[in-house]
Amino acid sequence: VIGQENKKSSTTGKTTSTTAKKSSTTTKTTSKESLLMSIQPKKRDAKYFIVVYKGSQSVVVYGKDKKGDYTSVVKTFSCSTGKSSSPTRTGSYHIRAKYRWRTLVGNVYGQYNSSISPDYLFHSVPYTRNGDPSSLENEEYDKLGTPASKGCIRMCVRDCKWIYDKCEIGTQVQIVNDSGPKGPGVPSRRSAARFSGWDPSDKWADGNPYFS
């Protein structure tokens, strides 16, 4: 009888533990939903709303739900925000201008730039030569998904081009410290000399050996 009582007690303990896990998951989900609602832009005339989650190094593009709130996940991307010596500031921004190629801090260059402030842009991993898609800084590409920039939001070409093409001037952007939905990751870079210097997601670059 004592053995049976212990078994029942053990089973009850497991049930309680499972319930606690479910409760914890619900709390996390509710917390993320509350955060998203608290940062909704006042102007809601743009098609999308972009949130940069520094905690998960991800960029999420939200579309409108039936109520007109930006809660529907359209795209998730992996990114690199500022490293500890040059952290990306949180706050509200909006897409102000776009540049196909642009000079970045450190005499390097970015593709598919969407400016959100005088200091910050969404852009590709840096290149050492302006207009040359074969001059990618390989080691910086390999850091995507971790803080690595001088403050801007770096993404692979596939992803920053999507924002460049699809998100209009005036699109609201919020940068937060919290974690959010994670991006699917970026294509792996090959180390062979033939592929060195090329972004493996850039199918639009003439001569890219990843797509030849």
Side-chain angles (χ1 to χ4, degrees):
V1 175
I2 293 175
Q4 289 177 347
E5 288 177 350
N6 285 340
K7 285 182 181 179
K8 288 181 181 179
S9 176
S10 175
T11 302
T12 304
K14 288 181 181 179
T15 303
T16 304
S17 176
T18 302
T19 303
K21 287 180 181 179
K22 288 182 179 179
S23 177
S24 175
T25 302
T26 303
T27 301
K28 288 180 180 179
T29 302
T30 303
S31 176
K32 288 180 180 180
E33 289 174 349
S34 298
L35 169 66
L36 183 57
M37 293 309 298
S38 71
I39 60 175
Q40 291 286 307
K42 293 180 180 178
K43 286 183 64 177
R44 303 192 185 185
D45 49 353
K47 186 174 182 179
Y48 300 121
F49 170 49
I50 303 172
V51 181
V52 179
Y53 292 97
K54 292 172 60 178
S56 51
Q57 291 294 287
S58 58
V59 175
V60 181
V61 179
Y62 293 96
K64 294 179 183 177
D65 59 23
K66 293 180 179 179
K67 295 180 180 179
D69 297 321
Y70 294 101
T71 62
S72 178
V73 175
V74 176
K75 285 283 186 179
T76 58
F77 305 118
S78 294
C79 72
S80 284
T81 59
K83 53 191 174 183
S84 58
S85 59
S86 52
T88 306
R89 297 185 299 274
T90 59
S92 300
Y93 303 86
H94 67 275
I95 295 179
R96 306 159 66 247
K98 298 183 181 184
Y99 311 94
R100 178 65 182 79
W101 283 88
R102 186 170 176 81
T103 304
L104 306 174
V105 176
N107 294 319
V108 291
Y109 309 90
Q111 290 201 73
Y112 301 107
N113 303 269
S114 297
S115 171
I116 61 173
S117 80
D119 302 317
Y120 296 153
L121 309 101
F122 292 104
H123 64 70
S124 69
V125 171
Y127 295 82
T128 58
R129 295 186 293 274
N130 190 17
D132 184 354
S134 71
S135 62
L136 181 77
E137 291 191 332
N138 297 324
E139 68 280 3
E140 297 303 315
Y141 181 90
D142 294 340
K143 294 176 185 176
L144 284 171
T146 63
S149 79
K150 290 181 171 62
C152 288
I153 301 97
R154 294 178 181 174
M155 307 164 77
C156 71
V157 165
R158 175 196 66 195
D159 298 344
C160 64
K161 186 178 187 300
W162 194 94
I163 289 179
Y164 180 90
D165 288 341
K166 304 292 186 181
C167 297
E168 62 190 4
I169 301 294
T171 297
Q172 299 294 306
V173 178
Q174 189 80 22
I175 301 176
V176 298
N177 286 320
D178 304 74
S179 295
K182 290 188 176 181
V186 298
S188 298
R189 189 182 59 79
R190 300 185 193 178
S191 59
R194 175 170 170 251
F195 297 90
S196 181
W198 294 91
D199 183 315
S201 75
D202 189 0
K203 64 181 180 181
W204 302 272
D206 291 339
N208 190 340
Y210 286 96
F211 299 94
S212 61

